[in-house]
């Protein structure tokens, strides 16, 4: 199993833990304790375990970056090539999950060179290794290329190139693809697989999505939550014997459906054919930008052959629609246009498409958070009822209306004339609503839950929107209890939101939107990086909301999520601006 | 080495050579604060190191960068907020200029190492200079230097061992003095003595309240989020809670 | 200001003009030397002389006229504002034109106001212009290799600065999230504080992760570091610093000779 080093200069390093434990300073419990583990030089290991089993602590210890003595209490011994990790700097390379904090410097070449500089490698040799490193991860970019302009997957590959340039004997990866979309996952996985194939380095990866690495590893080690090793052996054996247990702990085990094979939507005729309905957007929609809204202009036509067409019953009440929408994160810089869609009560819409195509921008525009650059977001009367809007937002909208509206394809058609909206038309646009008027109408769950935390406790997070709505105290208490119980947050009500685990943060961010009972709920990548247990909980919860008549929109790359929930899929195409029809045969 | 419990009191350098160096039982460093609860005390039972760790450097830098961004945002909105003060008493606008002083005090309170206040305020100033403020690159850096130095001197006077609220207030006031001296020389050299006096006192009071008290509260709030778990400042606050 | 603007500031284009190849450390030194010299006095003569000499050099600053005025716009606004304040509250002398409480316009304050405006332009413009072509990575290389500042601090600051673009994105996202959470109608100051706090939490967390990533790449160890990028410091660097000093000295000398030198303290 351990490949002999042979003539190559730097063979794989061996890792050994004996009775090892670590307790972070200021914590009562041990992150890891009583661990005995030997990894031979050249082995390729997948490290599994429930969250909180100390996997990250272990690999950080092997990399010698757990921190000084004032940061924790260590017991037992931990050795790399028979020496403590601090003594063999550069022998161990570590890549962690957040791409934004794995890249150190502003230019690609400089970043790859960073590790070599720290190890005192001579200048000429550094640049030789930079070239080799970038080639090894398959990146063909100029050395001057700004790292800020890289995608998440590219950032991880640049960081990996930097690790390789240090010529490590061990490569440790801590969920390197957790924050990436499927394309990025494949990209990084393939780069790593190639590197591992061509090197003698020992390789350890932590990952809760097992299928990504199955072909790359030859051994699976499962850490027990209390400390020690739960299972250890070849992948097939470990997964066969421990698969069910691992899946219960949230590990994505190939072949085990987190939903237990049961459909979650109770009343969804579309479920019969097992997948969402693909929406074709008529090309003519692009011309509707700037015109007065036509009632049925943007009704998506459905694929004629599918059984999903003849289902007026499942079409609920129209709540929110977009017509000829052009969306821009920064005013004037349109990222997608010609978008038409309708959101109906009790229906789930998935917004998909490649990175940078403007999916999130589209969602934020529908949510009344960003102004549309062209076209209209129109709330149906039933949704807009009772809004008065904010005077300042109305004035801003009028100013925008008076300006010629930029589109991405400005040359295609003459710029539409400035338009005049009546007061009621204006009030149908969520961008003019007051912040608290949004709460009960359109709720938004951001991709990063931490962006939306505004108070110091979980309870505070759940109460804040209810207080903004000026609900009576009893009502607030009742709702907080209900939603916290439903999302298993009741034991955490006094905790600080930032101290929660990833899954808890996600549940809280969804709960804090749901507690105001919005009729439309928008979620940006709700299942990103979630373990299978949280994933299943979210899917079931959203299915419940759909049954209650909430319209749900999710920006997502998650095919299983779409299959489980979505009624329609909107594909935002890259570059083209307009929407491409969803691929046929989605089911 | 198997079977030996390597006690984490050993210095990292010693551990690096592979020698287990348990701490002699009588060598107990002085506790940081008498009020510190037992968890923090158990973690703090070792001599406080004044050497900067990598995480100290990077977090001080990042706090400086974030503060630079807050300065930038503040630069956009401050005038309508502070100008009315100038109408009440010319020079009194400096009361709210304390916002520009919080970076140094905050850095000092979080990092607790010599030079932390100066370094953090300086980084914040450099960031402001790079993204462009109305005050021109080198001048912004100069004012950051003066403001950071004011706070730094106060932390040094307490031998980098006391980070209670009154020290934070004094550090804020020190930063205020630094700001006032620099501003009066650079921007208002030709002013009336009355203006200068009002400006000077306002800067000190503003620094003490906005930069001092608020930064101290900020550290406590930050500690509760767990963001400071790698810092003594964070572990102490959570242990008390 | 957008995140792209921040990114531009972090990796400005490397132009062909000579100024782009001057070591940033020299630009910093020249700007500081000139600033410190001009700060000594408050009079119109020294400021005007400096401004005239500088304006000749702006042609070689590596900025087109449009970029020049866009970059320095804030100074063109700030200088007159400071001038007006001085006009109203400056030390009064000679003929008095208007008096109302502390507000006092006189010959003396008019002269001082003019001096203040020119002085801010003379100090501010070259500083901004020299900073405009500074690449932070090159500056860090210079600070560590030429000035021998501790590399751990210089590189730590540089790495922290790279996060600036992300913080801009965070800031915008935080703003939208506050609207989505029903807090968008409350006071500006409160929302500003709430957002600033959230930004600090996010940044410290990211900073801690970045520190770990840097340590994992051998940063902060005992090994003597090598440098992938050289940071040359030679004739053109000294020339620039000398220019800065000469302009400052000539301006001061002109003020002394004309008798308008006015020491800033006292």
């Amino acid at each position: 199993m351990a490949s002999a080093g042979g003539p190559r200069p730097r063979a794989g390093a061996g890792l050994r833990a004996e009775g090892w434990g670590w307790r972070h300073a200021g914590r009562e419990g041990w992150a890891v304790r009583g661990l005995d583990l030997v990894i031979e030089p050249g082995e390729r290991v997948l490290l599994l375990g429930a969250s909180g089993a100390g996997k990250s602590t272990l690999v950080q210890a092997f990399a010698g970056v757990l921190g000084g003595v004032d940061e924790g209490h260590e017991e037992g011994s931990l050795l790399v090539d028979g020496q403590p990790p601090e003594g063999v700097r550069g022998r161990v390379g570590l890549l962690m999950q957040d791409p934004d904090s794995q890249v150190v410097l502003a230019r690609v070449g400089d970043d790859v060179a960073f590790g070599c500089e720290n190890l005192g490698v001579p200048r000429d040799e550094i640049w030789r290794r930079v070239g080799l490193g970038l080639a090894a991860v398959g990146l063909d970019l100029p050395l001057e290329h700004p790292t800020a302009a890289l995608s998440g997957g590219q950032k991880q590959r640049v960081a990996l190139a930097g690790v390789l340039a240090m010529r490590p004997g061990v490569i440790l990866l801590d969920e390197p693809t957790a924050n990436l979309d499927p394309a990025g996952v494949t990209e990084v996985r393939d780069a790593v697989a190639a590197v591992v194939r061509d090197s003698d380095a020992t390789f350890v990866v932590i990952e809760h999505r097992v299928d990504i690495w199955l072909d790359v590893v030859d051994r699976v080690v499962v850490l027990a939550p209390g400390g020690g090793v739960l299972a250890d052996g070849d992948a097939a054996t470990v997964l066969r014997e421990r698969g069910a247990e691992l899946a219960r702990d949230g590990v994505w085990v190939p072949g085990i459906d987190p939903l237990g094979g049961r459909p979650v939507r109770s009343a969804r005729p579309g479920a019969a054919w097992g997948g969402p309905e693909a929406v074709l957007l008529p090309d003519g929609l692009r011309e509707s930008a700037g015109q007065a809204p036509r009632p049925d202009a943007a009704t998506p036509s459905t694929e004629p052959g599918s059984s999903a067409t003849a289902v007026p019953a499942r079409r609920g009440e129209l709540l929110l629609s977009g017509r000829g929408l052009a969306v821009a994160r920064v005013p004037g810089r349109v990222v997608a246009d010609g978008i038409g869609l309708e959101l109906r009560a009790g229906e789930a819409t998935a917004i998909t498409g490649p990175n940078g195509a403007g999916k999130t921008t589209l969602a934020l525009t529908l949510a009344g958070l960003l102004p549309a650059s062209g076209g209209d977001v129109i709330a149906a009367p039933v949704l807009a009822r009772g809004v008065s809007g904010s005077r300042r937002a109305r004035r801003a909208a009028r100013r925008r209306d008076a300006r010629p509206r930029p589109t991405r394809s400005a040359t295609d058609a003459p710029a539409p004339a400035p338009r005049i909206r009546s007061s009621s038309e204006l009030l149908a646009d969520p961008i003019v609503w007051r912040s608290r008027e949004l709460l009960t109408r359109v709720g938004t769950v951001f991709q990063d839950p931490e962006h939306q935390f505004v108070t110091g406790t979980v309870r505070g997070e759940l109460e804040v929107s209810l207080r903004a709505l000026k609900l009576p105290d009893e009502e607030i208490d009742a709702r907080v209890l209900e939603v916290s119980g439903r999302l298993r947050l009741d034991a955490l009500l006094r905790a600080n939101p930032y101290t929660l685990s990833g899954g808890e943060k996600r549940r809280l961010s969804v709960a804090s939107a749901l507690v105001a009972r919005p009729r439309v709920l928008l979620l940006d990548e709700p299942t990103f990086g979630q373990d299978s247990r949280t994933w299943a909980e979210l899917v079931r919860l959203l299915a419940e909301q759909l049954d209650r008549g909430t319209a749900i929109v999710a920006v997502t790359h998650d095919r299983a999520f779409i299959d489980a929930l979505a009624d329609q899929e909107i594909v935002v195409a890259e570059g083209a601006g307009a929407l491409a029809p969803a691929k046929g045969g989605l089911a | 080495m198997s079977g030996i419990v390597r006690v984490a009191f050993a210095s990292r350098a010693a551990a690096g050579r592979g020698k287990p160096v348990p701490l002699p039982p009588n060598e107990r460093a002085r506790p940081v604060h008498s009020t510190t609860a037992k968890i923090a005390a158990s973690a703090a039972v070792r001599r406080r190191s004044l050497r900067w760790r990598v995480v100290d450097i990077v977090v001080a830098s990042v706090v400086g960068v974030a503060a630079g961004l807050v300065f930038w945002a503040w630069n956009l909105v401050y005038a309508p907020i502070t100008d009315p003060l100038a109408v009440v008493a010319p020079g009194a606008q400096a009361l709210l200029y304390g916002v520009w002083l919080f970076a140094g005090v905050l850095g000092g309170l979080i990092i607790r190492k010599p030079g932390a206040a100066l370094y953090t305020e300086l980084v914040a100033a450099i960031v402001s200079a790079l993204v462009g403020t109305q005050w021109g690159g080198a001048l912004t850096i100069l004012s950051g230097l003066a403001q950071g130095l004011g706070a730094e001197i106060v932390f040094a006077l307490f031998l980098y061992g006391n980070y209670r609220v009154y020290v934070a207030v004094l550090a804020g006031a020190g930063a205020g003095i630094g700001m006032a001296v620099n501003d009066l020389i650079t921007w208002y050299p030709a002013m009336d003595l009355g203006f200068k006096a009002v400006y000077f006192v306002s800067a000190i009071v503003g620094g003490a309240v906005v930069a001092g008290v608020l930064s101290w509260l900020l550290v406590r709030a930050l500690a509760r989020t767990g963001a400071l778990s790698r810092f003594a400042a964070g572990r102490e606050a959570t242990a008390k809670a | 200001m957008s995140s792209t603007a921040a990114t531009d500031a972090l990796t400005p284009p490397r132009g062909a003009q000579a100024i782009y190849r001057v070591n940033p450390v020299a630009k910093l030194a020249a700007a500081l030397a000139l600033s410190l010299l001009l700060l000594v006095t408050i009079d119109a003569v020294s400021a005007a002389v400096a401004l005239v000499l500088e304006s000749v050099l702006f042609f070689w600053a590596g900025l087109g006229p449009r970029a020049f005025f866009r970059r320095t716009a804030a100074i063109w606004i700030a200088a007159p504002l400071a001038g007006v304040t001085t006009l109203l509250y400056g030390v009064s002398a000679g003929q008095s034109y208007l008096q109302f409480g502390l507000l006092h316009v006189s010959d003396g304050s008019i002269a001082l106001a003019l001096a203040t405006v020119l002085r801010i332009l003379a100090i501010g413009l070259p500083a901004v212009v020299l900073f405009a072509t500074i690449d932070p990575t090159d500056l860090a290389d210079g600070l560590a290799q030429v000035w021998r500042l501790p590399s751990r601090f210089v590189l730590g600051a540089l790495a922290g600065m790279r996060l600036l673009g992300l913080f801009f994105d965070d800031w915008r996202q935080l703003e939208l999230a506050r609207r989505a959470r029903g807090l968008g109608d409350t006071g500006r100051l409160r929302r500003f504080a709430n957002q600033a706090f959230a930004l600090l939490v996010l940044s410290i967390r990211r900073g801690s992760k970045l520190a770990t990533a840097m340590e994992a790449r051998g940063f902060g160890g005992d090994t003597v570091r090598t440098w992938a990028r050289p940071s040359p410091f030679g004739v053109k660097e000294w020339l620039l610093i000398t220019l800065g000093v000469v302009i400052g000295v000539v301006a001061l000398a002109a003020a002394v000779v004309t008798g308008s030198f006015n020491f800033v303290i006292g």
Side-chain angles (χ1 to χ4, degrees):
Chain A
M1 187 165 290
S3 60
R8 295 188 202 188
R10 304 209 83 173
L15 305 174
R16 174 181 291 264
E18 284 179 13
W20 187 77
W22 179 269
R23 192 182 72 202
H24 293 284
R27 302 253 182 91
E28 304 229 27
W30 291 77
V32 183
R33 194 163 205 191
L35 178 71
D36 293 294
L37 179 67
V38 176
I39 295 174
E40 300 294 342
E43 267 192 306
R44 285 88 165 84
V45 179
L46 173 63
L47 200 55
L48 294 176
S51 87
K55 307 182 291 288
S56 294
T57 307
L58 179 64
V59 296
Q60 288 188 16
F62 276 127
V65 295
L66 260 188
V69 282
D70 51 351
E71 289 188 53
H73 189 89
E74 186 179 25
E75 65 176 27
S77 84
L78 189 88
L79 302 171
V80 176
D81 270 354
Q83 294 183 62
E86 300 79 20
V88 287
R89 265 177 187 280
R91 191 79 174 111
V92 183
L94 170 65
L95 180 66
M96 289 169 297
Q97 51 175 270
D98 176 21
D100 288 327
S101 46
Q102 297 310 297
V103 169
V104 178
L105 294 178
R107 291 191 168 88
V108 166
D110 299 347
D111 188 70
V112 178
F114 180 73
C116 295
E117 293 179 307
N118 294 325
L119 297 180
V121 176
R123 184 174 293 155
D124 294 342
E125 172 68 8
I126 290 179
W127 290 111
R128 203 179 66 82
R129 290 196 193 178
V130 168
L132 291 174
L134 285 171
V137 298
L139 274 178
D140 184 20
L141 290 171
L143 298 179
E144 299 274 298
H145 193 80
T147 47
L150 299 174
S151 70
Q154 286 176 320
K155 279 183 187 156
Q156 291 296 65
R157 281 152 76 197
V158 166
L160 181 64
V163 167
L164 294 177
M166 294 166 67
R167 300 280 161 84
V170 190
I171 300 172
L172 305 174
L173 308 182
D174 187 352
E175 301 200 22
T177 60
N179 291 10
L180 305 179
D181 60 55
V185 170
T186 312
E187 175 187 329
V188 170
R189 193 212 85 99
D190 290 350
V192 170
V195 164
V196 167
R197 194 177 53 236
D198 296 340
S199 106
D200 295 325
T202 310
F203 173 73
V204 180
V205 61
I206 298 175
E207 179 62 67
H208 61 221
R209 285 182 288 181
V210 170
D211 57 336
I212 302 174
W213 301 105
L214 263 190
D215 299 341
V216 183
V217 299
D218 45 32
R219 178 181 167 194
V220 175
V221 174
V222 184
L223 294 190
V229 172
L230 198 67
D232 186 351
D234 68 279
T237 315
V238 170
L239 292 180
R240 192 176 57 244
E241 289 172 0
R242 300 282 178 169
E245 198 177 330
L246 286 167
R248 257 202 315 282
D249 284 338
V251 175
W252 289 91
V253 179
I256 298 186
D257 176 5
L259 296 171
R262 289 184 297 276
V264 290
R265 299 285 303 274
S266 55
R268 189 174 63 134
W273 58 282
E277 160 196 347
V279 173
L280 291 164
L281 286 134
D283 224 327
L285 269 183
R286 302 181 63 167
E287 289 152 25
S288 68
Q291 290 173 7
R294 285 169 287 152
D296 282 299
T299 305
S301 61
T302 51
E303 283 199 87
S306 89
S307 60
T309 45
V311 277
R314 72 172 233 253
R315 290 262 183 240
E317 199 170 7
L318 177 66
L319 294 177
L320 192 66
S321 53
R323 304 206 199 285
L325 266 184
V327 297
R329 171 65 58 118
V330 183
R333 242 182 274 170
V334 174
V335 288
D337 66 2
I339 300 163
L341 77 172
E342 302 200 330
L343 309 176
R344 291 172 183 275
E347 289 189 4
T349 304
I351 300 178
T352 61
N355 279 326
K359 304 185 296 293
T360 296
T361 311
L362 171 60
L364 295 176
T365 308
L366 289 169
L369 301 177
L370 291 174
S373 263
D376 293 282
V377 178
I378 301 158
V382 62
L383 187 64
R385 186 178 299 144
V387 296
S388 62
S390 99
R391 184 180 300 204
R392 182 198 275 173
R394 280 205 307 263
R395 271 203 307 266
R398 293 240 185 260
R399 273 199 304 276
R400 279 192 300 272
D401 284 354
R403 280 198 298 262
R405 325 195 84 198
T407 56
R408 204 184 152 110
S409 46
T411 49
D412 292 4
R419 58 187 192 153
I420 297 161
R421 285 190 277 184
S422 70
S423 299
S424 61
E425 278 172 344
L426 204 57
L427 279 181
D429 186 349
I431 195 68
V432 309
W433 297 353
R434 286 170 193 280
S435 171
R436 64 170 175 275
E437 288 169 348
L438 281 172
L439 290 171
T440 54
R441 294 176 175 87
V442 186
T444 309
V445 177
F446 286 74
Q447 179 174 339
D448 184 347
E450 293 189 359
H451 280 141
Q452 66 180 78
F453 292 158
V454 292
T455 70
T457 62
V458 169
R459 176 182 276 276
E461 288 300 316
L462 296 174
E463 285 180 350
V464 71
S465 53
L466 304 178
R467 298 229 177 272
L469 291 170
K470 301 195 167 63
L471 294 183
D473 284 352
E474 314 84 72
E475 171 77 11
I476 292 179
D477 283 347
R479 287 212 200 175
V480 167
L481 273 178
E482 183 204 331
V483 75
S484 63
R486 177 64 189 80
L487 279 159
R488 288 194 295 119
L489 294 165
D490 35 1
L492 299 166
L493 284 175
R494 293 178 59 198
N496 188 297
Y498 288 100
T499 60
L500 303 180
S501 73
E504 287 162 351
K505 279 181 187 158
R506 170 55 71 213
R507 297 205 304 271
L508 175 58
S509 66
V510 175
S512 60
L514 282 181
V515 75
R517 302 189 180 152
R519 304 197 57 176
V520 179
L521 179 67
L522 293 116
L523 308 101
D524 191 359
E525 300 285 7
T527 58
F528 227 50
Q530 296 301 330
D531 64 29
S532 64
R533 196 172 155 207
T534 307
W535 185 90
E537 277 175 353
L538 271 175
V539 169
R540 289 203 188 92
L541 176 81
L542 295 178
E544 253 172 55
Q545 293 298 317
L546 287 166
D547 289 344
R548 287 186 194 167
T550 310
I552 289 180
V553 183
V555 171
T556 185
H557 284 102
D558 183 342
R559 195 39 64 184
F561 179 82
I562 297 170
D563 288 343
L565 286 178
D567 297 290
Q568 60 171 346
E569 179 177 351
I570 304 282
V571 184
V572 183
E574 193 171 24
L579 295 180
K583 286 189 196 91
L586 270 171
Chain B
M1 204 183 217
S2 71
I4 298 173
V5 174
R6 195 165 93 216
V7 183
F9 296 134
S11 86
R12 212 58 175 173
R17 288 189 295 275
K19 276 189 286 183
V21 187
L23 190 78
N26 58 348
E27 194 198 324
R28 291 178 61 88
R30 63 205 150 91
V32 178
H33 290 307
S34 52
T35 52
T36 311
K38 66 174 194 295
I39 299 173
S42 73
V45 180
R46 52 175 299 278
R47 208 168 290 281
R48 197 161 37 86
S49 163
L50 292 181
R51 183 183 150 79
W52 288 62
R53 302 166 298 164
V54 170
V55 68
D56 292 326
I57 296 173
V58 177
V59 168
S61 309
V62 164
V63 168
V65 172
L69 182 59
V70 172
F71 291 172
W72 164 77
W74 175 243
N75 291 343
L76 298 181
V77 299
Y78 86 95
I81 300 173
T82 59
D83 284 356
L85 289 172
V87 173
V88 176
Q93 64 266 39
L95 272 175
L96 280 175
Y97 290 180
V99 171
W100 282 305
L101 306 174
F102 88 92
V105 182
L106 185 65
L109 291 176
I110 292 176
I111 309 294
R112 298 188 172 184
K113 300 280 159 83
L118 179 60
Y119 178 79
T120 311
E121 186 75 48
L122 203 55
V123 171
I126 292 175
V127 167
S128 302
L130 280 174
V131 275
T133 64
Q134 48 267 61
W135 297 284
L139 286 188
T140 313
I141 295 177
L142 211 59
S143 60
L145 201 65
Q147 295 159 5
L149 210 56
E152 185 67 42
I153 288 171
V154 173
F155 287 124
L157 287 177
F158 287 92
L159 302 174
Y160 301 105
N162 185 340
Y163 294 91
R164 295 177 199 218
V165 64
Y166 64 86
V167 180
V169 168
L170 289 175
I177 295 176
M179 173 175 80
V181 169
N182 175 70
D183 286 0
L184 291 178
I185 291 178
T186 314
W187 295 93
Y188 307 112
M191 292 306 199
D192 229 25
L193 192 64
F195 177 95
K196 285 182 177 170
V198 173
Y199 195 94
F200 201 81
V201 172
S202 304
I204 293 175
V205 173
V209 175
V210 179
V213 177
L214 287 188
S215 294
W216 189 81
L217 292 172
L218 198 53
V219 172
R220 277 209 331 187
L222 285 171
R224 287 203 204 96
T225 68
L228 301 180
S229 62
R230 291 189 69 185
F231 298 87
R235 293 194 289 267
E236 239 169 58
T238 43
K240 272 184 216 165
Chain C
M1 179 70 54
S2 69
S3 61
T4 41
T7 314
D8 291 348
L10 296 180
T11 51
R14 288 173 172 170
Q17 293 100 321
I19 191 71
Y20 284 97
R21 288 191 303 273
V22 175
N23 197 311
V25 165
K27 294 179 192 170
L28 190 62
L32 273 176
L34 179 58
S35 300
L36 289 173
L37 284 169
L38 292 180
L39 279 178
V40 170
T41 173
I42 162 98
D43 69 284
V45 174
S46 66
V49 169
L51 206 50
V52 169
L53 294 175
E54 287 161 3
S55 51
V56 177
L57 295 173
F58 289 157
F59 288 107
W60 285 279
L63 293 174
R66 259 191 69 183
F68 174 81
F69 284 105
R70 191 168 47 81
R71 282 274 186 169
T72 57
I75 295 178
W76 293 105
I77 297 166
L81 284 179
V84 170
T85 313
T86 312
L87 184 70
L88 299 180
Y89 305 114
V91 178
S92 49
Q95 167 100 42
S96 179
Y97 298 100
L98 179 71
Q99 187 158 19
F100 180 78
L102 275 173
L103 190 154
H104 192 177
V105 180
S106 64
D107 276 344
S109 71
I110 292 174
L112 285 170
L114 180 67
T116 302
V117 173
L118 291 175
R119 185 169 175 259
I120 290 174
L121 291 177
I123 296 171
L125 292 180
V128 170
V129 165
L130 284 170
F131 257 72
T133 54
I134 286 185
D135 175 320
T137 309
D138 294 343
L139 177 61
D141 282 337
L143 291 175
Q145 295 178 55
V146 179
W147 283 3
R148 306 267 163 205
L149 295 185
S151 63
R152 293 201 312 153
F153 285 87
V154 172
L155 289 166
L158 181 65
M161 230 162 255
R162 196 192 54 80
L163 300 182
L164 188 64
L166 296 174
F167 294 165
F168 271 108
D169 296 340
D170 280 336
W171 185 261
R172 220 163 6 172
Q173 206 70 2
L174 290 169
E175 209 156 28
L176 298 182
R178 264 124 202 94
R179 172 162 162 80
R181 300 292 320 272
L183 299 181
D185 309 321
T186 58
R188 262 166 90 113
L189 205 60
R190 227 180 99 190
R191 235 179 325 144
F192 177 82
N194 187 305
Q195 259 173 260
F197 177 74
L199 183 75
L200 272 170
V201 175
L202 293 174
S203 61
I204 292 174
R205 288 171 165 256
R206 209 170 255 155
S208 302
K209 281 189 266 180
L210 178 63
T212 305
M214 289 172 76
E215 278 192 290
R217 289 217 244 152
F219 182 69
D222 301 326
T223 321
V224 179
R225 206 172 188 279
T226 48
W227 297 90
R229 298 164 301 278
S231 185
F233 198 94
V235 178
K236 53 183 188 303
E237 281 73 22
W238 285 115
L239 192 69
L240 184 69
I241 296 174
T242 313
L243 264 175
V245 174
V246 165
I247 291 177
V249 169
V250 168
L252 288 187
V256 171
V257 168
T258 56
S260 57
F261 184 85
N262 180 11
F263 190 53
V264 74
I265 301 167

